Amino acid sequence: QELHLLFTWLVESVFGSLDGSIVGWNLCFVQARTNEYNAIVEFLDPSGPMMKLVYKLHAEEYKYEFPISYLPGPVRASIQEGVLPDCPIFHNKLQFPPSGLLSLSLSLNPFEYYMFYFAASLIVQRSYLPGQHFSPSDSAYFVLVDSYLKYFLPTEGNVPPSLVPVVRGTVSPPPPRSPTVPFTGYGVHHTSLLKRHISHQPSMNADPAAQEIWRSETILQVFVEMWLHHYSLEMYQKMQCPQVKLELLQYRLGISSMHCSTPTQSGYGTLHTYQEPFCPTEEHVLVVRLLVKHLHSFSSSQRPELITSSPSAHSHSSPLEEFKRVVIPRFVQQKLYVFLQHCFGHWPLDTSFRAVLETWLSYLQPWRYTPEKQSPHMDSQDRTVPDKWAAFVQENLLMYTKLFQGFLNRTIRTDLVNVNNALMVFRVAKVFAQPNLSEMIQKGEQLFLEPEHVLHHRQHRFLTPSLGGSFLSSRQPFITDSVFKVKSHVYSLEGQDCQYKQMFGAEVRNTVLRLSQLIAQAKQTAKSISDHSAEAAANQSFLSWFGFESSDLNTSYVGNDIDYMGLDSIKKTDEYLDRTLDYICQIFKLNAAQLSQLMVSFVSTQDDGGSKQLPDCIQGANGLLLTDLGRLQMINGLRKFDIDYQGDPELQPIRSYEIAVLVRLLYRLSSLINERFAGEMQSLCSRQDFSGRLARYYLTASSVAQTSKRSPLTRRSLERRPQPRISLRYLASYRTLLSIFMLYVISSFFGFGPVSFIFWGLLACFCYGVVMAMFADKRKTH
């Protein structure tokens, strides 16, 4: 009893409260390098002290309440609307308080309560130090998720037994649901995923293996419901209601209602559409990827004799082996599809999308997690996808085709010059270019698009004998069964009125060609950046590094793309994009020569007609507005606005490489000098002899440089009326001061004092100005 009173406080102290008021241990931010990491992992380990406490309380039949207000939005909304979710984890657990449906709660056993809190701690926003850097895959939470999956969903052997034996004879069944709320829309609920009935609170008289499998079901259901259940209620209904799914299939496949009639559910379609404003974090997506990878390994560890045996042999298999067979299609397929579709549509267009991308690619390649080991010397691109995975590809067709089209729509709006974006495009193209994969996807589309009247004439071939059907041959039932599975997959996710867009159709093919053109543009932009950087480095003289360059602040380039990315990144970008084009040709059977000619002609057209133009715009009420094409042109560096500072050069914003105090002080000093000696400087610059040329070089060079990029009319008018003045702003630069200090140190080493240093420095500047003034009239710009 003391442990029972302590348990809820302990769980909140570890994982934090559901409303975020109690932070808890912040497991997502506890790294392996911290001192408390080992103690936390050992304490929360599947065989650690915390789990022993859970088993002790479970043996005593204690119950704990979990408010439904902290469940994911679609589940919460459906329960409040009177529709019970199809997931068994919610059945016979609702508690109805007198206050009404808004304060409903779930009555959970200790193991379920612990796992709900553990899963919820990932999606509840916690506070952390702003300067704290952490790796999501190195956190205590990530390691614990991995430990729980390996312990309760083992790829080898059975689930370990409870560490604390159950001391009572039997566990009483959960209390029946109150009849006051009419839950509609789901009919008979399956309380277990297996053919053999395995309750979540098993009896001691049951099979020992069946007695332990309930923990595996519970942890997986909790993880899926809490992490992958954030989308519209309309889609939730479409996914969860088996009666509606069957009605859709009967309608689309032409199956007669007399063979398998189903009563119409009166409550379906009456719920309002609910969209939760939810955007998962990168840590959330990485944990989902860990779950996907482990489930592939778990499902692939099924004994080979059960995979190839007849369906009747499954009734004699162990509960864990049967669980492996149904875990992917029953649990993950539908919810993960909608979760990824939500991420594809709402994730920012930045490089953090890599986490979502790798989660998607991990699900698409279950053959990477099979027990069979392939030769490590073989390139992954040369490994042919085994034919046995054709059924998986067909039954997950939308995962390959619809999400690929969503990825294309994202890619054409991103900056492909960025090496991380180029890498993501390369990763997707490499996966889809695996030998035999594109043929499997095309076969799945052919099965889905098979004419329905053909199915109607041979519908008896895939009806079971109990429904009056007969299997005429070994080949035809297989084909029609594959057609049924593919159509069932598509219609259950997209609805009966879905407009399926073929991945290898004309519209997607045109999008791929557009992507190829953008890749060519990105390659050209990367090359121009690299050439510009090399030219700038070659033209940078030794004296300019010491600060004796033009004081034109408009043309000074304090940071460019090549500085940010580096030459190595530019080379990697070019390599990734080149290989991406090769993979695209392999996937869509494009002619490489024709594609290259198309890209060259497109790029040349852009160079001739668009390189010197403004981005594509439309005239709005407040000026020019960028179109989608204009944004794309600016992102890829094809066009840009010519932005120059048109005001007083001395009043430009202070740069990061300047000392702000010195800029202001030197501006006041130069202003005083210019006001005091304006007439003398004007008369000196108006002279036509060598002194006038020297004065014009020093006193008007900055003004002429500032007008070099203006319109010809403005430039001519300013050249006719020069405004000579002294500019001292370049002395406020860190680089100039550092150069003077270094020269002073060198001169001191040779015995020059401060007076000598100033004298020789001024003399050097004067001689430099004399030389430049001799050729100033022969140069177009300074």
Side-chain angles (χ1 to χ4, degrees), residues 27 36 145 161 177 253 275 300 368-369 429 480 582 632 674:
L27 298 179
E36 64 273 12
V145 171
R177 174 175 58 84
L253 301 180
Q275 178 66 46
S300 299
R368 293 182 55 191
Y369 310 101
T480 53
D582 295 338
L632 185 63
N674 293 329

Side-chain angles (χ1 to χ4, degrees), residues 298-518:
F298 178 71
S299 179
S300 299
S301 63
Q302 188 179 3
R303 295 204 303 269
E305 61 270 15
L306 295 178
I307 299 178
T308 58
S309 61
S310 61
S312 60
H314 293 296
S315 60
H316 304 288
S317 61
S318 66
L320 186 62
E321 294 295 326
E322 188 73 3
F323 186 52
K324 292 177 181 180
R325 187 178 64 85
V326 300
V327 64
I328 294 291
R330 176 64 177 87
F331 270 113
V332 182
Q333 183 194 62
Q334 295 177 326
K335 292 184 176 64
L336 181 64
Y337 168 74
V338 184
F339 176 81
L340 290 176
Q341 195 175 39
H342 177 81
C343 291
F344 274 52
H346 294 80
W347 201 274
L349 289 172
D350 56 20
T351 56
S352 64
F353 184 73
R354 179 73 184 276
V356 180
L357 183 73
E358 294 299 336
T359 303
W360 174 47
L361 297 180
S362 295
Y363 184 83
L364 298 185
Q365 304 177 85
W367 46 87
R368 293 182 55 191
Y369 310 101
T370 56
E372 298 86 8
K373 301 297 182 181
Q374 302 191 27
S375 174
H377 303 288
M378 183 185 300
D379 185 15
S380 59
Q381 189 60 28
D382 298 331
R383 300 172 184 172
T384 304
V385 179
D387 294 334
K388 68 177 182 178
W389 295 107
F392 178 88
V393 174
Q394 295 166 7
E395 294 170 14
N396 292 270
L397 186 63
L398 291 178
M399 280 285 194
Y400 292 88
T401 59
K402 186 73 175 290
L403 293 185
F404 179 81
Q405 297 167 25
F407 178 75
L408 284 180
N409 293 332
R410 286 185 58 93
T411 303
I412 61 177
R413 301 196 303 272
T414 56
D415 178 16
L416 296 180
V417 181
N418 187 301
V419 64
N420 294 317
N421 291 332
L423 176 60
M424 285 192 283
V425 181
F426 164 74
R427 288 280 297 119
V428 174
K430 182 178 180 181
V431 168
F432 278 84
Q434 295 178 84
N436 211 24
L437 180 57
S438 59
E439 289 76 8
M440 292 180 181
I441 298 175
Q442 284 182 294
K443 179 62 177 177
E445 290 190 327
Q446 293 173 3
L447 292 175
F448 174 75
L449 298 174
E450 188 167 350
E452 295 178 5
H453 68 275
V454 176
L455 292 176
H456 180 76
H457 287 299
R458 64 182 191 186
Q459 63 183 2
H460 62 278
R461 298 177 183 174
F462 59 92
L463 291 176
T464 60
S466 61
L467 298 178
S470 62
F471 300 97
L472 303 181
S473 67
S474 60
R475 175 176 175 82
Q476 291 171 341
F478 172 77
I479 295 177
T480 53
D481 184 61
S482 299
V483 173
F484 186 90
K485 288 181 179 180
V486 174
K487 290 182 178 289
S488 172
H489 161 69
V490 174
Y491 293 142
S492 63
L493 291 182
E494 296 294 331
Q496 61 165 340
D497 55 347
C498 71
Q499 300 294 327
Y500 182 79
K501 186 189 299 184
Q502 297 184 56
M503 177 177 168
F504 296 93
E507 185 175 351
V508 178
R509 191 181 183 90
N510 292 334
T511 307
V512 171
L513 291 177
R514 183 184 177 189
L515 174 62
S516 302
Q517 295 171 349
L518 295 179

Side-chain angles (χ1 to χ4, degrees), residues 243-261:
Q243 283 77 21
V244 172
K245 284 193 231 180
L246 189 55
E247 289 175 358
L248 294 177
L249 291 176
Q250 291 176 4
Y251 172 78
R252 297 291 294 180
L253 301 180
I255 300 176
S256 176
S257 59
M258 67 178 60
H259 293 298
C260 47
S261 59

